[in-house]
Amino acid sequence: MKKPKGFFTYFHLSEMLELLTDDQAGRLYKALLRYGDTGELTDFSDDQPLMMAFIMMRKEIDINVEKYNKVCERNRENGKKGGRPKKEQQDFETAGEKPKRFFYTQYKDNDNEKYKVNDNEMIKEIKRKTC
């Protein structure tokens, strides 16, 4: 089982965290990081509000790890399929079409440098100022 590089903290948990002191919030955050990284459970038997917050947030971490592993498994299975099939090369001669060929001719007209693009059916002129 692969583990993610971090975890999400959801905004709906902020009301619960506001009820904790800064010291309790710091202990909780360190315990959550430890749990997310190593799976180690911290004993908060001396502080019931902290224990409740830890249990609730631990469940969020577990859910996120489960989702992460499902995505990894789906990507792994898709990778085994070899990716998207390659497009077939269309043969222009058998399709009755000729590939378009462009011919560029360059000439100077006073301050403007002009390029003529000729594809046997239409002629375009592109003007470009020279510095």
Side-chain angles (χ1 to χ4, degrees):
M1 181 187 250
K2 200 171 180 181
K3 68 177 183 177
K5 295 178 183 179
F7 63 88
F8 293 103
T9 303
Y10 296 100
F11 294 126
H12 70 269
L13 299 171
S14 64
E15 287 182 73
M16 178 183 57
L17 291 174
E18 288 295 327
L19 298 173
L20 301 175
T21 65
D22 288 345
D23 181 50
Q24 288 174 319
R27 287 178 58 201
L28 175 64
Y29 188 67
K30 286 181 179 181
L32 290 169
L33 287 173
R34 200 173 312 115
Y35 176 74
D37 189 32
T38 65
E40 178 186 335
L41 294 172
T42 304
D43 182 27
F44 289 119
S45 58
D46 61 327
D47 195 344
Q48 291 301 316
L50 202 51
M51 178 59 93
M52 286 179 19
F54 180 75
I55 289 170
M56 289 179 69
M57 293 182 81
R58 181 184 73 192
K59 297 290 183 196
E60 298 282 347
I61 291 173
D62 292 340
I63 290 168
N64 286 332
V65 168
E66 188 177 318
K67 286 180 185 177
Y68 177 79
N69 284 318
K70 283 182 182 178
V71 169
C72 287
E73 182 62 28
R74 183 190 69 209
N75 290 345
R76 191 176 302 111
E77 291 301 316
N78 287 338
K80 288 178 183 177
K81 293 176 184 176
R84 182 176 149 221
K86 294 184 183 207
K87 292 182 179 180
E88 291 183 23
Q89 189 75 348
Q90 185 178 6
D91 185 10
F92 288 107
E93 300 301 324
T94 59
E97 297 178 19
K98 291 185 179 179
K100 293 194 178 210
R101 293 184 175 92
F102 294 98
F103 302 99
Y104 297 93
T105 53
Q106 178 181 7
Y107 59 93
K108 288 194 174 187
D109 176 25
N110 297 336
D111 294 336
N112 295 326
E113 192 172 319
K114 295 182 179 180
Y115 292 90
K116 216 180 244 189
V117 180
N118 183 356
D119 71 347
N120 296 335
E121 293 177 13
M122 67 179 188
I123 297 174
K124 297 178 187 175
E125 285 190 13
I126 304 168
K127 295 182 179 182
R128 184 176 71 178
K129 281 278 192 193
T130 55
C131 298

